[in-house]
Amino acid sequence: MPLDLQWVSKVRVNTQAVLKRAQQIQGHNKNKKQWQAAWLLRAVTCIDLTTLAGDDTPGNVHRLCMKATQPVRNDLLKSMDMQDKGVTTAAVCVYPSRVADAVKSLKAANSSLPVASVATGFPAGQTSLKTRLEEVRMAVEDGAMEIDIVINRTLALTGQWEAMYDEVCQFREACGEAHMKSILAIGELGTYTNVYKASLVAMMAGSDFIKTSTGKESVNATYPVAIVMVRAIRDYFLKTGHKVGFKPAGGIRTAKESLVWLTLMKEELGDEWLSPHLFRLGASSLLADIERQIYHYVTGRYAAYHQMPMA
């Protein structure tokens, strides 16, 4: 949609109300036993299994892809009668230079799992616009079906919403058929009001998802920020009829946290936002803890981490 600066300029966020709501959400999920196991499997299907390290190699990208196609041990799935339900993660997420490796590994495994790539000068976004656009195009050419772009935080911090809108529109165009997730890097936006405004502008510019963080900032996915972002998604849906997805990322490590995120989505946006086409969890170490909890549900005891297949 066109940029509605009047809507953006009117935004004010009540910080105390946001913090209170975030506290409430954390006390809500009380699912136990088979219901908890079912929610955990749902969380697995929403994970963007990620590796964004300087020492990524074709070998560990291949291992990540294999884990994504079989995220939970088959014997555990059999115990829950879920072995033929096609439980996989939502996608794998890598740097642009590793996209071709991931596509090759998944193709060899006969998997249709999408490959997501970060781009646009991730994580800081401090390269020239020409370079950032080229990075998007190259990732798409190599087979990425989803692109996680980073917004220019300088533009957001200085209130240059038109310039930010124009940049994100150009990223959208460069993505072509690929889905675009816009990373707001909320730890660097200063205020909740800025987070809400950046969310709106990113959605107006054509984002399929808005994402909290790169995972490289000092503050990543927090529940109060999520409340602000999902309320922006809800308001945008009510005004335009267009559904935008949400992706928290950075610092999500435990099964318990994944349940809180699912609860937040269910209560704030409804059941439709509990599926991978509108909700993703950006995580690298989360899956291991979820698998341990499922192992506990099936066997009654906890496994050591080394007993779980590596991601």
Side-chain angles (χ1 to χ4, degrees), residues 93-131:
C93 184
V94 294
Y95 274 120
S97 58
R98 301 268 73 92
V99 168
D101 297 331
V103 170
K104 184 181 169 187
S105 290
L106 289 167
K107 198 172 179 182
N110 207 16
S111 170
S112 58
L113 213 60
V115 174
S117 171
V118 296
T120 68
F122 178 95
Q126 293 282 16
T127 53
S128 71
L129 181 59
K130 185 180 175 185
T131 307

Side-chain angles (χ1 to χ4, degrees), residues 263-277:
T263 303
L264 188 152
M265 297 310 289
K266 183 176 171 65
E267 292 192 9
E268 289 289 327
L269 292 170
D271 289 353
E272 208 174 336
W273 268 266
L274 287 176
S275 65
H277 77 282

Side-chain angles (χ1 to χ4, degrees), residues 276-295:
H277 77 282
L278 286 172
F279 178 60
R280 299 290 178 83
L281 286 159
S284 48
S285 56
L286 169 65
L287 183 54
D289 194 57
I290 290 180
E291 200 173 6
R292 281 184 81 231
Q293 297 300 331
I294 290 171
Y295 182 94

Side-chain angles (χ1 to χ4, degrees), residues 82-100:
M82 291 293 289
Q83 74 277 12
D84 55 355
K85 298 291 191 290
V87 176
T88 67
T89 65
V92 294
C93 184
V94 294
Y95 274 120
S97 58
R98 301 268 73 92
V99 168

Side-chain angles (χ1 to χ4, degrees), residues 121-125 149-151 153 183-189 211-222 225 249-251 253:
F122 178 95
I149 63 115
V150 287
I151 66 160
R153 275 82 95 192
I183 306 171
L184 305 186
I186 52 85
E188 295 173 355
L189 289 183
K211 176 177 169 182
T212 58
S213 327
T214 63
K216 310 292 185 185
E217 297 98 49
S218 54
V219 178
N220 293 296
T222 66
V225 158
R253 294 188 178 89

Side-chain angles (χ1 to χ4, degrees), residues 8-294:
V8 175
S9 64
K10 283 180 180 172
V11 169
R12 298 289 181 276
V13 175
N14 181 335
T15 301
Q16 289 310 311
V18 167
L19 295 174
K20 187 177 178 184
R21 178 68 180 132
Q23 287 257 241
Q24 286 173 344
I25 291 275
Q26 290 174 72
H28 280 195
N29 193 293
K30 295 288 185 276
N31 287 321
K32 298 292 180 201
K33 297 185 178 172
Q34 70 265 41
W35 293 280
Q36 187 182 73
W39 274 71
L40 289 174
L41 284 179
R42 172 57 62 93
V44 167
T45 65
C46 294
I47 291 175
D48 278 356
L49 197 58
T50 303
T51 181
L52 296 169
D55 58 359
D56 284 343
T57 62
N60 66 5
V61 168
H62 175 72
R63 190 174 70 204
L64 185 89
C65 292
M66 294 306 95
K67 182 67 175 173
T69 57
Q70 178 71 68
V72 181
R73 271 175 31 182
N74 210 42
D75 58 318
L76 301 178
L77 290 176
K78 272 184 180 168
S79 302
M80 296 186 285
D81 199 25
M82 291 293 289
Q83 74 277 12
D84 55 355
K85 298 291 191 290
V87 176
T88 67
T89 65
V92 294
C93 184
V94 294
Y95 274 120
S97 58
R98 301 268 73 92
V99 168
D101 297 331
V103 170
K104 184 181 169 187
S105 290
L106 289 167
K107 198 172 179 182
N110 207 16
S111 170
S112 58
L113 213 60
V115 174
S117 171
V118 296
T120 68
F122 178 95
Q126 293 282 16
T127 53
S128 71
L129 181 59
K130 185 180 175 185
T131 307
R132 285 179 281 154
L133 286 165
E134 192 55 35
E135 198 175 25
V136 174
R137 292 188 196 105
M138 286 168 68
V140 173
E141 273 172 33
D142 281 348
M145 294 168 73
E146 301 177 0
I147 303 290
D148 290 27
I149 63 115
V150 287
I151 66 160
N152 185 332
R153 275 82 95 192
T154 306
L155 298 178
L157 287 166
T158 52
Q160 297 179 65
W161 301 114
E162 281 180 78
M164 180 188 145
Y165 174 82
D166 290 341
E167 276 199 2
V168 179
C169 281
Q170 288 182 64
F171 297 149
R172 170 69 272 173
E173 198 179 329
C175 285
E177 295 292 303
H179 278 194
M180 184 176 82
K181 308 190 199 97
S182 293
I183 306 171
L184 305 186
I186 52 85
E188 295 173 355
L189 289 183
T191 65
Y192 290 137
T193 298
N194 258 357
V195 169
Y196 190 105
K197 287 180 176 182
S199 300
L200 276 186
V201 173
M203 290 188 285
M204 289 170 184
S207 304
D208 295 295
F209 274 73
I210 51 175
K211 176 177 169 182
T212 58
S213 327
T214 63
K216 310 292 185 185
E217 297 98 49
S218 54
V219 178
N220 293 296
T222 66
Y223 302 122
V225 158
I227 298 290
V228 173
M229 290 175 71
V230 298
R231 292 280 171 97
I233 289 171
R234 189 164 74 188
D235 292 346
Y236 187 76
F237 170 62
L238 291 172
K239 189 156 185 169
T240 67
H242 185 66
K243 292 171 184 162
V244 175
F246 176 64
K247 179 178 173 180
I252 305 169
R253 294 188 178 89
T254 67
K256 189 178 179 184
E257 287 172 279
S258 72
L259 296 176
V260 177
W261 285 109
L262 285 170
T263 303
L264 188 152
M265 297 310 289
K266 183 176 171 65
E267 292 192 9
E268 289 289 327
L269 292 170
D271 289 353
E272 208 174 336
W273 268 266
L274 287 176
S275 65
H277 77 282
L278 286 172
F279 178 60
R280 299 290 178 83
L281 286 159
S284 48
S285 56
L286 169 65
L287 183 54
D289 194 57
I290 290 180
E291 200 173 6
R292 281 184 81 231
Q293 297 300 331
I294 290 171

